[in-house]
Amino acid sequence: MNGPLAGVRVVELAGIGPGPFAAMLLADLGADVVRIDRPGGAGLGIDPAHDLTNRNKRSVLIDLKSEDGPGRVLDLVERADVLIEGYRPGVAERLGVGPDVCLARNPRLVYGRMTGWGQDGPLAPRAGHDIGYIALAGTLSMIGKDGEPPVVPANLVGDYAGGSLYLVIGVLAALQHARSEGGRGQVVDAAIVDGAAHLATMIHGMMAAGGWQDRRGANLLDGGCPFYGTYETADGRYMAVGALEQRFYDEFVDLLGIKDELPARKDFDRWGELREAVAARFRTRTRAEWTAVFEGSDACVAPVLTLREAPAHPHLAARATFVDHAGITQPAPAPRFSATPGAVTRPPALPGADTAEVARDWGVTLSVPLEDR
């Protein structure tokens, strides 16, 4: 593998959601990620060949409930730099691969734990999902229109932003410490509820300063502002407007063709009137027509593309933001590095398919599935 993490070995205990995505990020950056799948599998309920969160990884089958299962995992842990698990608190310990036994085997190991509620606290043992974590953190309350229910932002804000990304940050920071002189391994407790709350740090500051109302659809960045939001076009599609600064706003209303018909943008009492005027104008043309109008400008206006449309956008195509690998169009690794670029080099790992290869490369004894012998 290429990438800045080439040479880093990661053991991932199979799960779903933010844990596998965090491990994928490490693999995209060049780490050698070995996923421990259990017989019978546990995944998204789709064909494993299409589970992109398992790209750039290798998979071995180990039954942690078997007599020799924990020992085989610990053999890998002894040779690893990082372990990632996403069980409920206490489950890894009961399976014989908790942090104490792993760190005893490998004192420099970074043991990354991915949960919704964290390793302690009243809700720690409870089940949960993304929507509950961001609800309790206050983040969900900010998303949506005033007077309407909060809008669920898929599972991007909780699982992946508040969970996966914070786990990766923690793992990399702990890895830096472990590799320093006198450094040792440690446990990284990444809780989605913590990360989702942390994401709103700026908003809490604005609220304390009186610059943010504690209700949705009433603020500069949450759709409350008529020049920071989305507008429907004549063909039922949408344009996104982010003309916050005065010079961008001036160019926006000029290209929109109604600059002389609008109330002053700082006349907050007439924001409703301003919004309706902008909305009415956008409804006169299609998304493609408005895209052409704003092309090449600094009006900060963009078409709202679907997931299938995005890869074909000229800017994203020029940057190769999406790549085709093994017949699947998918986001390319991010961010980018000038000296050690990452890449998609392997398709999603199929459960157990790499057992023999990993046993050879890591110098351990593993039970190889019959079909791979």
Side-chain angles (χ1 to χ4, degrees):
M1 295 290 288
N2 297 317
L5 293 184
V8 173
R9 286 180 166 179
V10 179
V11 171
E12 175 199 354
L13 303 183
I16 59 173
F21 187 75
M24 184 207 77
L25 289 173
L26 298 174
D28 282 355
L29 297 177
D32 180 7
V33 178
V34 172
R35 177 178 168 96
I36 309 297
D37 281 298
R38 57 180 179 268
L44 296 176
I46 63 172
D47 179 356
H50 290 85
D51 186 353
L52 293 176
T53 62
N54 286 327
R55 73 185 187 189
N56 284 340
K57 304 177 184 179
R58 298 189 286 181
S59 170
V60 302
L61 282 180
I62 297 178
D63 184 359
L64 275 168
K65 294 183 179 180
S66 68
E67 184 177 351
D68 63 348
R72 295 188 184 280
V73 171
L74 290 174
D75 287 343
L76 290 167
V77 164
E78 185 176 336
R79 295 158 174 81
D81 301 288
V82 177
L83 180 143
I84 289 177
E85 61 94 356
Y87 301 137
R88 288 201 206 185
V91 172
E93 286 84 347
R94 291 197 297 274
L95 291 172
V97 290
D100 289 344
V101 66
C102 286
L103 285 164
R105 189 77 169 261
N106 181 355
R108 286 185 177 266
L109 180 74
V110 173
Y111 195 105
R113 315 198 82 169
M114 182 77 265
T115 61
W117 302 117
Q119 296 298 315
D120 53 40
L123 292 177
R126 301 277 74 84
H129 283 294
D130 175 289
I131 190 171
Y133 310 140
I134 65 174
L136 206 64
T139 313
L140 181 59
S141 73
M142 299 189 299
I143 306 171
K145 295 182 179 180
D146 186 25
E148 297 184 9
V151 173
V152 181
N155 65 334
L156 302 178
V157 173
D159 281 352
Y160 297 126
S164 303
L165 295 184
Y166 278 85
L167 176 59
V168 169
I169 291 169
V171 163
L172 295 180
L175 186 61
Q176 169 69 13
H177 171 74
R179 291 186 165 187
S180 65
E181 184 177 354
R184 297 182 63 81
Q186 59 183 304
V187 177
V188 178
D189 175 4
I192 297 171
V193 69
D194 295 345
H198 192 264
L199 287 169
T201 299
M202 182 193 76
I203 305 299
H204 280 278
M206 293 177 67
M207 190 165 60
W212 189 277
Q213 298 183 60
D214 194 14
R215 60 189 182 91
R216 60 187 164 277
N219 300 285
L220 191 65
L221 301 174
D222 66 355
C225 171
F227 40 92
Y228 196 87
T230 57
Y231 290 92
E232 187 176 7
T233 56
D235 53 348
R237 299 187 179 187
Y238 291 87
M239 298 295 290
V241 177
L244 288 176
E245 293 81 0
Q246 184 68 54
R247 68 183 187 278
F248 302 150
Y249 176 82
D250 291 342
E251 188 166 357
F252 163 59
V253 295
D254 185 34
L255 290 172
L256 200 62
I258 55 174
K259 68 175 182 178
D260 297 327
E261 306 170 24
L262 300 175
R265 77 185 216 129
K266 291 186 178 180
D267 188 349
F268 304 129
D269 292 336
R270 299 183 67 188
W271 266 14
E273 182 182 341
L274 174 57
R275 183 190 310 281
E276 186 48 47
V278 172
R281 182 61 174 161
F282 268 117
R283 286 194 292 266
T284 65
R285 298 185 184 182
T286 66
R287 188 187 69 177
E289 290 172 329
W290 282 119
T291 299
V293 167
F294 290 104
E295 188 73 28
S297 76
D298 278 340
C300 300
V301 178
V304 178
L305 302 181
T306 68
L307 293 175
R308 292 190 185 278
E309 291 174 324
H313 187 276
H315 180 77
L316 303 185
R319 285 184 55 81
T321 299
F322 291 85
V323 298
D324 291 307
H325 191 272
I328 303 176
T329 300
Q330 56 196 280
R336 304 180 185 204
F337 299 85
S338 61
T340 55
V344 180
T345 60
R346 301 176 69 105
L350 302 181
D354 309 295
T355 302
E357 184 180 273
V358 171
R360 180 198 66 211
D361 293 348
W362 284 48
V364 296
T365 300
L366 295 171
S367 299
V368 180
L370 290 175
E371 60 269 23
D372 292 336
R373 292 179 181 174

